[in-house]
Amino acid sequence: MRTYSLDDVYATRKRRDSWWTVYFVDPAACRVAMFVANHTEITPNALTVFSLILGMGSAVCLGANQLAAGAALFYLSFMIDCVDGKIARLKGTGTPFGLWLDYVGDRIRVVCCAAGLAYGQYAATGSVDFILLGATVAVLDLFRYVNAPQMKRVRETIREGLAPSLTEVPQAPRVPAPRRSRARSGASTVPWPAAGSGLT
């Protein structure tokens, strides 16, 4: 089995990413990805599911007003979510389904954590403003990704992964045109009935 270096993992990072990810998540995610790639057989999809489970745990903690635990689980969930893409690119094991699962998992995590935080603060203060704020965060996140580059990449990858029979319209076979006899100079191109055929 090939051994991957930290430089190999660094090469899988996205060209453009948020400053939060670059400075506070990638340093840990790259080292975790190197360990996972070299010492385990964990698949990117399994990491995505594990990230979603951690995200649900974060939502529960935030809903119970345990903010420190909720924030720590959210960070771990996001970090693991960064690891799955690095493993997929590092080993070349990415699939259209994996990309779709990663995208949907991200949206579920954000919506559930926003809802959990809003509920936790509403239960603690009785202020409906927190419910409205949580709903606004969830809607803005979903709206931001409707036509975002990530969503475009998901659609294009899934489209490319479809079978040719589903993406190509079958064409009718071409029928060769009837051959025409060459016309002599000054002669008509319409064939005349032969003498004695009874048609003259």
Side-chain angles (χ1 to χ4, degrees):
M1 184 176 69
R2 176 185 171 184
T3 300
Y4 300 96
S5 68
L6 195 57
D7 288 336
D8 293 330
V9 180
Y10 281 152
T12 66
R13 291 182 297 181
K14 297 177 182 178
R15 293 182 180 180
R16 298 181 62 183
D17 217 334
S18 62
W19 64 270
W20 165 262
T21 302
V22 172
Y23 292 107
F24 295 101
V25 180
D26 262 353
C30 287
R31 285 163 175 78
V32 172
M34 184 178 67
F35 176 84
V36 170
N38 289 327
H39 301 286
T40 74
E41 296 296 328
I42 300 176
T43 65
N45 288 353
L47 290 168
T48 301
V49 172
F50 181 53
S51 170
L52 183 57
I53 292 172
L54 290 174
M56 295 302 97
S58 172
V60 171
C61 289
L62 294 173
N65 205 26
Q66 298 177 6
L67 300 183
L73 284 175
F74 187 89
Y75 174 86
L76 288 175
S77 173
F78 185 72
M79 189 266 291
I80 297 298
D81 181 58
C82 293
V83 172
D84 64 3
K86 289 175 173 54
I87 295 295
R89 290 186 289 272
L90 190 66
K91 293 188 173 182
T93 56
T95 64
F97 173 75
L99 186 61
W100 175 86
L101 182 66
D102 182 70
Y103 175 81
V104 172
D106 288 348
R107 306 286 67 73
I108 292 175
R109 179 180 62 239
V110 171
V111 170
C112 289
C113 287
L117 181 59
Y119 173 78
Q121 294 308 299
Y122 168 75
T125 64
S127 175
V128 183
D129 291 342
F130 287 107
I131 299 295
L132 296 176
L133 183 60
T136 301
V137 170
V139 170
L140 287 178
D141 179 74
L142 293 174
F143 180 77
R144 181 170 69 97
Y145 275 87
V146 169
N147 289 314
Q150 174 70 4
M151 185 60 194
K152 180 181 179 183
R153 188 162 67 96
V154 170
R155 289 196 301 263
E156 290 176 348
T157 302
I158 292 176
R159 191 179 300 118
E160 291 172 359
L162 293 176
S165 59
L166 297 178
T167 58
E168 297 179 1
V169 178
Q171 297 180 353
R174 297 183 62 183
V175 178
R179 299 179 64 181
R180 296 182 180 180
S181 58
R182 294 185 178 178
R184 296 180 180 178
S185 176
S188 172
T189 58
V190 180
W192 289 95
S197 63
L199 297 177
T200 54

